[in-house]
Amino acid sequence: MPEIKLTNLSYSYTNTSHQALADVDLTIPSGSYTALVGHTGSGKSTLVSLVDGLIRPSTGTVQIGEVTVDQNAKRADLAKLRQHVGFVFQFPEQQLFAETVAKDIAFGPENLGWSADKVAATVKHAMEAVGLAPELADRSPFMLSGGQMRRVAIAGVLAMEPAILILDEPTAGLDARSTDALLELVAQLHQRGRTILLITHQMDQAARYADQVVVMNHGRLVAATTPQHLFSD
């Protein structure tokens, strides 16, 4: 399992002089559960986009295991980074598109050229991992509840077998029951060995589940500490 190491990391969007991230040094240990908190515009989404290889750093490096990416990284380098990382975007159900749950989950593995048998086994395993009943495999994802649709989207990410799972406010728009169920699911995925990065505005979520809380403000790292230490300060 690879750790995530960010060194002197900065990022500026090309159409502005504003630095979205400035001089971030951060280590996220392998197998940890890290909550990223901070107000809108604090740099949380930019940071995880760099970890996922969606954008290149302006300065500094992102290292995941043996893979290191800097401002000169080629597309192939960014693709290697993404092999380790699964990204569940906010409102991921908006990315569902296939006519059945199974086909949606199978999309990523099929694109990797896996055999039909391996894809079928992966779909089954991913559905089990997120608590989706087998009989839902042939249902349209658009006929499911909001919480179930989000589980389908997460299963599609898990099917790619990432060691690191990034979730951008995964409970946004869900009712209290679906929120609790989804957070328990993420906790189980963590217990099975995955590194979790959770972007959240809910401090109770950070306190209850994370073993590290990273606080961002105006593109800078304010703190990286335990929930107990942060909330006692």
Side-chain angles (χ1 to χ4, degrees):
M1 290 281 289
E3 75 170 11
I4 303 166
K5 191 171 181 63
L6 312 178
T7 306
N8 195 30
L9 194 66
S10 298
Y11 185 81
S12 299
Y13 289 97
T14 51
N15 57 352
T16 173
S17 59
H18 169 68
Q19 272 196 312
L21 274 189
D23 303 320
V24 172
D25 288 295
L26 176 66
T27 298
I28 297 173
S30 169
S32 63
Y33 192 135
T34 296
L36 278 167
V37 302
H39 61 76
T40 302
S42 61
K44 305 185 301 296
S45 294
T46 302
L47 189 148
V48 295
S49 294
L50 286 160
V51 170
D52 192 38
L54 294 173
I55 52 179
R56 294 177 183 83
S58 299
T59 62
T61 59
V62 177
Q63 183 178 355
I64 299 180
E66 302 296 311
V67 183
T68 301
V69 161
D70 61 15
Q71 63 183 3
N72 299 313
K74 298 179 173 63
R75 282 188 179 181
D77 300 321
L78 299 174
K80 282 181 192 169
L81 209 62
R82 285 195 290 275
Q83 287 175 4
H84 295 294
V85 183
F87 199 147
V88 179
F89 294 92
Q90 199 172 2
F91 303 112
E93 60 273 18
Q94 294 175 357
Q95 296 169 264
L96 300 176
F97 63 92
E99 61 200 50
T100 69
V101 166
K103 286 181 179 177
D104 217 301
I105 298 169
F107 179 77
E110 285 175 346
N111 275 356
L112 291 177
W114 295 1
S115 71
D117 286 348
K118 184 177 180 183
V119 170
T122 299
V123 170
K124 181 173 180 286
H125 183 68
M127 287 184 67
E128 288 171 356
V130 300
L132 287 169
E135 58 267 23
L136 295 179
D138 296 324
R139 291 268 297 275
S140 165
F142 306 105
M143 302 301 288
L144 304 179
S145 71
Q148 286 176 319
M149 289 172 72
R150 201 156 293 184
R151 284 171 185 256
V152 173
I154 293 171
V157 173
L158 291 180
M160 308 290 283
E161 300 177 354
I164 297 159
L165 188 62
I166 298 171
L167 301 111
D168 187 354
E169 297 197 51
T171 61
L174 296 181
D175 60 32
R177 185 177 172 187
S178 296
T179 291
D180 289 343
L182 189 61
L183 288 172
E184 283 303 317
L185 164 65
V186 176
Q188 289 166 17
L189 294 171
H190 173 239
Q191 286 159 12
R192 292 176 204 152
R194 278 191 172 81
T195 303
I196 303 292
L197 271 72
L198 174 78
I199 294 180
T200 182
H201 281 106
Q202 308 297 323
M203 293 302 166
D204 60 317
Q205 294 180 7
R208 194 186 326 165
Y209 293 102
D211 45 51
Q212 175 172 248
V213 181
V214 170
V215 184
M216 302 294 298
N217 188 39
H218 295 299
R220 293 190 177 273
L221 178 67
V222 177
T225 185
T226 63
Q228 294 82 359
H229 187 269
L230 180 69
F231 296 125
S232 67
D233 184 351

